[in-house]
Amino acid sequence: MILDHVSLPVSDFEKSKAFYVAALAPLGVSIQYEEGVDATGTTPFVGFGNEAGPAFWLGGHMKADQHMSHVAFKAKDRPTVDAFYAAALAAGGIDNGAPGIRGHYGEHYYAAFILDPDGINIEAVCHLPPDAGAS
């Protein structure tokens, strides 16, 4: 799987959260992570997934045209995240977060963020420690 996770904006956070809790339950998908406005400062988020962790996210109190859509691609290692970032900038993307550890998401969460030509937040992420795969 090339995708790590996908995030969508929703206009009524509680209504959408309740809908997805019910709709995804038969698939074995449930809430794995949640952040309120007090943590984010702007909007609540909820992450749905299974024992592997959250992969489908909703961001609340947003309008669909606010470009809160987000796609995160899995990277095999940290140098690949760095290469994604450089290539995306060279292709005209706008920096939305240079490569680095995002410790609030996980100890080894190494990611870079770019806004694509439509302003959609595109991410490359590696969950492995820095020495993983080193010889």
Side-chain angles (χ1 to χ4, degrees):
M1 176 60 73
I2 64 168
L3 296 179
D4 186 79
H5 60 274
V6 175
S7 300
L8 300 177
V10 295
S11 59
D12 186 329
F13 181 73
E14 293 302 326
K15 182 177 181 179
S16 293
K17 182 172 104 173
F19 170 81
Y20 281 105
V21 164
L24 298 178
L27 303 175
V29 175
S30 62
I31 293 174
Q32 301 294 308
Y33 185 86
E34 192 164 0
E35 284 188 357
V37 173
D38 54 327
T40 67
T42 57
T43 184
F45 284 92
V46 63
F48 293 86
N50 57 24
E51 63 279 351
F56 176 70
W57 292 80
L58 300 177
H61 310 304
M62 304 295 295
K63 294 180 182 174
D65 65 352
Q66 287 182 291
H67 297 296
M68 193 57 196
S69 298
H70 171 74
V71 177
F73 295 93
K74 287 185 179 180
K76 66 179 181 175
D77 53 29
R78 292 177 182 203
T80 302
V81 172
D82 298 343
F84 155 83
Y85 181 76
L89 285 175
I94 298 171
D95 171 39
N96 199 32
I101 290 290
R102 302 317 196 267
H104 55 289
Y105 295 136
E107 179 183 4
H108 301 296
Y109 197 106
Y110 186 86
F113 301 86
I114 294 286
L115 297 179
D116 81 354
D118 289 308
I120 297 171
N121 188 27
I122 306 299
E123 173 186 357
V125 59
C126 176
H127 297 277
L128 302 173
D131 56 355
S135 42

